[in-house]
Every structure is written in structure tokens, then in C-alpha cells.
Amino acid sequence: LLAAATAAAPTVQGVSAERLFDQIEALGELSDTTPPSITRVLYTENDVRARDYVKGLMRDAGLEVREDSVGNIFGRLAGEDDSLAPVVSGSHTDAIPHSGKYDGVLGVLGAIEALRAIRESGVTTRRPLEALMFASEEPTRFGLSCIGSRAMCGRLDPDYLDTLRDENGTAFYEAVTSAGRGGGHENTASILSAALIPAGGIHAFVELHIEQGPLLEQEGLDIGVVTAIAAPASVSFDFLGNGGHAGALLMPYRKDAGLAAAELSLAVESWALGTKAIDTVATTGVLQVYPGAVNSVPRESHVEVDVRDIEEKRRDHVLDMIIKSAEQIADKRQCEMKYRIVNKDPPAPCADDVVAAVQDAADDLGFKSMRMVSRAYHDALFMAQIAPTGMIFVPCKGGVSHRPDEFSSKRDMENGVRTLALAMAKLAGV
Ligand code: HGY
Ligand code: MN
Ligand code: MN
Ligand code: MN
């Protein structure tokens, strides 16, 4: 084992945090908002530019590039035996509105940097290695997260996906084809089935990501060895009341959809607190009223709620109670209400041998590490359904994420990429 570790060690010398930092800055310029605020939404102009930029980095790192029908982009480094399933690492470059430069991006550019370092070290692993940029991880455009990795693991019903619309009423198929993707397939079903990874198609998957929380920084640690990924769910509600003139419509006659939404968002908070478990979180991230004029009683409201927990049963109970509250509130306020569960995903345990490879790599490199769960979801949540999966966290300043002041230092990023390179080399066999 020691021989294997030292044999693999050369893989990490070539990792350059300077190069990585410059690439992160360059990618940050491809944003609908002015950096450091980053907005990059699936299949929009800056997203397509980002894809081309990443493909260029993959080629420059000596990787063979391919893109699947949904827009997952793979950069491949041949192994001694190319018939073997690859060890894969990747993440996303799409970014929710007004977020930061590092969420997801570190895992895409870091994977490319890790494979470049391995190639330049002259080490050839037994299995091929792949760097992967998922089509999109954030739910921004269609309300559904992880479209690329859901397609890869066959957990995305095309008929359901075809019901989704973006804020302009555009459907997925129209969006993917007008962005020059879709692989020429004539409908969503064939696009998705073309992206499916066959059983055993990936030997192991590791995602490098900023922690998006404060623990590593608080404990003065270098690496988070992730053991499980929380179970995310989201549900959207629409209330319909009577609406009317803010002066003439007297209080007893109002069916105020805006107040129904406000009352529901407080119920969301109290159900999450009600479990008394720190792992239960629930967020009313979207609350819109219509028509949205100061002198008009809200006739309609649209609410989107995100509910997560490490324990699936407890998460589902909170979700059910929130829906029940919405029904009671609608009755009390004489509003019509309809709801739709957008996603309700199981948590993902990380695979022992991948966790061990990450832990050994961090130990071999002398990094201080801790085992931890991921409270954010990632594409790794879905990759865990088709391959042994693990994650590597690095500290981010103040634990801040999904904000323009999101930041991770060159040293922390370099530690993460080195750990990734060594873990991949161990999993791929050197
Ligand atoms: O919300 C999440 O957990 C992810 O960062 N999209
Ligand atoms: Mn995110
Ligand atoms: Mn992310
Ligand atoms: Mn995520």
C-alpha cells in the first residue's frame, strides 16, 4: 500500500493553484451579473460560453472531449486498459442568480487540473479517468436541480420534464435545442435515454466542492471527507384569492392570496424547528404576489419551498405537514390552492471504498481532515445511484456560499485538487 501511495504521489506535484485561480477568474467573467456576483443559467448565452471555455481547458489539459445529448461534458484521460470503466470527477458551472465564483466551478476546473497533473506526472492509471461538467446542477431555470446527473442515472421522467417551463414559458426541449444541444434527438425522451450511463459504466465518482458551511474553517482543517449527502425536496404552491382595490375592498371581504403565502412561509419555519433536529432545514426561497401593486390586494401568490434533512422520514414528515398547513390556510382564507412536489430525493450514503480513498489521500498528503455530511445537495447525490461515490470538501471563507462574497483560498483549493488527484489515482489503480 505504501508503495502504491508513494507511486501515486508524483501525480499531485503538478497541481497549480495559480492556474486554477486564473481560470476561476476567467470563468467568472462569463456571467449575467457583474463579478463577483455570478449568474449563469442553464443553456443561456453565458452558460453556453462557459461550456465552450471548459471544453477548451479540457483540450488544453490533453483530455479527449465529448458532450452528451443533455449537455454533460466529459474530458477523458486514457488508462492502461481503456476497456475498463473510468474513475470520474466533476461538478457544475451553472450558478444561481447573484451567487459566487466557486460553487461547482472548483469541482469542474479542479477535476481538469487533477487529470492534467496526473498526465504531466507521467503516471498512467490502470483505468481511464474523466473530468465531468454536468449539464446543470442548480434548479434556477426549470425549478428542477441536477438535470444532467438525473439523466445519467435514468431518474428523470421525460413527460414530467416536458411539463416544466422557465420564467418565459419556454419548455426544456426548446431550450436545449436552441442552445445547439440535444444531439439531434427529436424529443425529450430520446435526449434523456441517450444520456443514460449503462450499469457499471462508471467505476467510482468523486466530487470536489467548497463546503458551503463554516465547520472546516472553524476547526482549522484542510479537507472534509464527506460520508453522506442530505435529502433535498422542493414543493411549489399557488394560491388564488379575490384580489381588488386596496381602498375599497374592506378587510372582512378579502381573500388575500399574499397573506396566505406569508402565513405559509411562517408555517414552513415552524415545522422545520418543530422536529428539534438541527439537521432539518426548510426555506421559502420564492414568494411572489400578483399583480404586485401597492394599492392592489394580492389576487394570486406563488411560493416555492425547499425542505432537507439527513433523515428521509423526518424530511418527508415535515413536507407532509407543510402541505397540510397550506390546505388549512387556503380554507381559512377562502383561497383556492394547488401544489406540486417538484422533487423528493433520497439521501445518498458515500461508498466506503471511495471515502477510504479520499481519507488515505488526505492522510498521505499530511492534510488535517474530518468526516462530515453535506447539507447542500450536489450531482454526487445522483451519481451515488449508479456508482460508488464520495466527495471532498475544502473550506470557504466564513462558510459563505450562494453569495458574491463566496471565496476559497489558493492553498485550500490546491489541497483539495491534490487530494482529488491522489484519490482518483488510488481508485483507478496506479
Ligand atoms: O441547493 C443546493 O444545495 C445546491 O447548492 N444547489
Ligand atoms: Mn449551489
Ligand atoms: Mn454546487
Ligand atoms: Mn450543490
Side-chain angles (χ1 to χ4, degrees):
L1 192 64
L2 192 62
T6 40
T11 57
V12 302
Q13 300 319 320
V15 170
S16 157
E18 289 305 324
R19 181 169 43 219
L20 189 58
F21 191 81
D22 293 347
Q23 292 168 357
I24 289 172
E25 291 302 297
L27 188 52
E29 294 304 314
L30 304 176
S31 165
D32 299 348
T33 45
T34 314
S37 164
I38 305 293
T39 304
R40 204 166 28 241
V41 179
L42 176 60
Y43 302 142
T44 59
E45 214 177 303
N46 277 310
D47 178 61
V48 171
R49 283 205 197 108
R51 291 168 188 285
D52 293 339
Y53 176 67
V54 166
K55 284 180 175 176
L57 294 182
M58 287 179 168
R59 278 191 279 274
D60 181 53
L63 308 180
E64 188 197 320
V65 180
R66 73 181 191 280
E67 183 167 355
D68 73 9
S69 52
V70 179
N72 296 309
I73 300 173
F74 301 79
R76 185 180 176 92
L77 182 59
E80 278 161 12
D81 181 350
D82 254 14
S83 67
L84 295 174
V87 171
V88 181
S89 176
S91 193
H92 62 99
T93 60
D94 63 321
I96 67 171
H98 308 290
S99 59
K101 292 180 186 171
Y102 299 81
D103 173 8
V105 166
L106 173 60
V108 176
L109 304 188
I112 297 168
E113 184 62 23
L115 268 52
R116 174 201 287 270
I118 291 173
R119 187 177 63 81
E120 289 173 357
S121 75
V123 165
T124 304
T125 51
R126 201 160 66 82
R127 293 177 174 279
L129 300 172
E130 291 190 345
L132 168 52
M133 175 184 137
F134 291 100
S136 77
E137 188 261 4
E138 301 294 2
T140 312
R141 184 156 185 185
F142 295 103
L144 182 66
S145 60
C146 302
I147 287 179
S149 49
R150 288 176 195 267
M152 288 170 69
C153 70
R155 299 291 173 120
L156 186 44
D157 171 3
D159 297 336
Y160 172 63
L161 184 54
D162 280 340
T163 65
L164 302 182
R165 294 290 178 275
D166 72 4
E167 60 189 1
N168 306 315
T170 307
F172 169 80
Y173 185 75
E174 192 189 332
V176 65
T177 46
S178 56
R181 267 75 194 169
H185 293 273
E186 71 286 354
N187 57 40
T188 302
S190 55
I191 287 179
L192 295 184
S193 48
L196 186 66
I197 297 289
I202 291 178
H203 177 67
F205 176 79
V206 194
E207 180 167 0
L208 170 64
H209 208 287
I210 53 171
E211 180 196 339
Q212 296 178 305
L215 297 182
L216 291 175
E217 185 183 59
Q218 277 168 3
E219 304 294 323
L221 299 173
D222 304 308
I223 296 291
V225 182
V226 177
T227 54
I229 303 166
S234 66
V235 51
S236 75
F237 298 89
D238 290 289
F239 289 98
L240 175 64
N242 54 3
H245 193 290
L249 181 57
L250 301 179
M251 298 309 277
Y253 307 108
R254 294 184 178 196
K255 301 173 183 173
D256 188 328
L259 290 179
E263 195 168 341
L264 176 60
S265 54
L266 290 174
V268 166
E269 180 191 34
S270 63
W271 283 117
L273 293 170
T275 69
K276 304 267 184 290
I278 193 66
D279 293 326
T280 315
V281 287
T283 311
T284 303
V286 174
L287 196 164
Q288 293 155 345
V289 293
Y290 176 84
V294 66
N295 56 349
S296 164
V297 177
R299 178 173 143 69
E300 297 173 35
S301 60
H302 175 72
V303 181
E304 294 179 25
V305 178
D306 175 308
V307 186
R308 308 184 195 197
D309 199 319
I310 302 295
E311 267 185 38
E312 190 173 2
K313 275 204 181 46
R314 200 167 50 200
R315 190 269 322 263
D316 288 349
H317 172 69
V318 168
L319 196 62
D320 293 344
M321 291 302 108
I322 289 170
I323 292 169
K324 219 185 205 69
S325 291
E327 287 160 346
Q328 288 160 353
I329 291 165
D331 276 351
K332 186 177 91 177
R333 294 183 174 277
Q334 302 173 69
C335 290
E336 289 170 38
M337 185 280 287
K338 57 183 194 327
Y339 72 89
R340 185 162 58 96
I341 294 181
V342 178
N343 65 294
K344 191 173 161 188
D345 303 303
C350 293
D352 292 346
D353 54 348
V354 181
V355 172
V358 170
Q359 186 67 63
D360 291 350
D363 295 348
D364 290 354
L365 293 165
F367 296 143
K368 298 190 296 302
S369 64
M370 69 184 267
R371 301 273 171 119
M372 59 200 298
V373 299
S374 172
R375 299 188 184 288
Y377 61 75
H378 305 277
D379 289 296
L381 185 70
F382 298 96
M383 298 310 283
Q385 298 183 18
I386 54 171
T389 290
M391 290 192 76
I392 302 169
F393 276 172
V394 294
C396 53
K397 195 157 80 37
V400 161
S401 181
H402 281 191
R403 273 180 17 194
D405 51 341
E406 184 181 86
F407 178 78
S408 185
S409 72
K410 287 179 188 170
R411 194 184 73 83
D412 284 334
M413 292 198 288
E414 189 170 81
N415 293 349
V417 178
R418 292 193 159 166
T419 305
L420 175 65
L422 193 45
M424 290 183 84
K426 288 171 184 286
L427 289 163
V430 280

